[in-house]
Amino acid sequence: MQTRASRETPLDRFNAAPADEAVRTLLTCLHSRRWARRLAAHRPYPDLAALLAAADEAAYDLTARDLAEALAAESLPSLPDDIYAVAHTALGAASAAYESRFGHAFVICLDGLAPDEILDQVLAGIRSRLANDPEEERVVAAEELRRLAGGRLRRLPAAPR
């Protein structure tokens, strides 16, 4: 016989968690306190799709200050361990140029890419986005953060499968 606890889904547990715990969980997906508080305050979510839609909507509403807070917590994506040292050097130089120009870490969502495509995608992304003006790059970075947050929400241990 199934008990109520055994039928409880991870989303049910997230919906029922104390607000501060839900906010801490959400901050691991996107480090914007306003975004996390907004999502936590609008619980319960009937399903993962509703949570992801709310996360997208809240991410579109990030202010410049919210975006700066979220970007400050980001770092370059990790590369596969077998990448050559020369590639790490090239990535480090491109990353330094990007951070010097825009004042924050380069962010890019790499969900769905094969490991052997990651380095090329990151380097191409940095190089192409270095040509953006700061306002244009703020919009692109915000979109990448939104995509990262969605992917991280899907991968949370508490996310329903």
Side-chain angles (χ1 to χ4, degrees):
M1 178 175 191
Q2 272 192 338
T3 65
R4 177 172 161 74
S6 66
R7 291 183 303 214
E8 188 176 69
T9 67
L11 184 61
D12 293 332
R13 288 188 293 279
F14 171 76
N15 282 333
D20 62 333
E21 182 181 323
V23 167
R24 278 193 307 274
T25 298
L26 291 165
L27 285 171
T28 67
C29 298
L30 181 71
H31 197 84
S32 164
R33 287 184 294 272
R34 190 167 76 87
W35 177 86
R37 285 192 301 261
R38 179 174 170 184
L39 288 178
H42 286 90
R43 294 174 301 154
Y45 295 99
D47 53 35
L48 181 60
L51 173 59
L52 292 171
D56 271 357
E57 182 180 327
Y60 285 124
D61 292 339
L62 291 175
T63 65
R65 183 180 208 149
D66 299 330
L67 182 58
E69 176 188 27
L71 287 168
E74 293 293 329
S75 59
L76 272 176
S78 56
L79 296 176
D81 292 332
D82 61 346
I83 298 293
Y84 297 109
V86 170
H88 282 282
T89 302
L91 182 59
S95 174
Y98 180 92
E99 286 188 34
S100 175
R101 175 151 168 72
F102 298 111
H104 58 80
F106 176 77
V107 291
I108 188 169
C109 182
L110 300 169
D111 292 352
L113 284 180
D116 62 339
E117 297 173 6
I118 290 174
L119 177 63
D120 289 340
Q121 187 67 33
V122 172
L123 283 171
I126 290 176
R127 288 178 180 141
S128 70
R129 287 169 51 190
L130 274 168
N132 291 347
D133 65 60
E135 180 55 27
E136 182 180 24
E137 183 55 26
R138 186 189 71 73
V139 171
V140 172
E143 176 62 16
E144 292 298 324
L145 282 173
R146 186 192 66 75
R147 292 178 59 219
L148 283 168
R152 290 169 180 166
L153 280 169
R154 286 180 192 88
R155 291 188 297 274
L156 278 177
R161 302 287 177 234

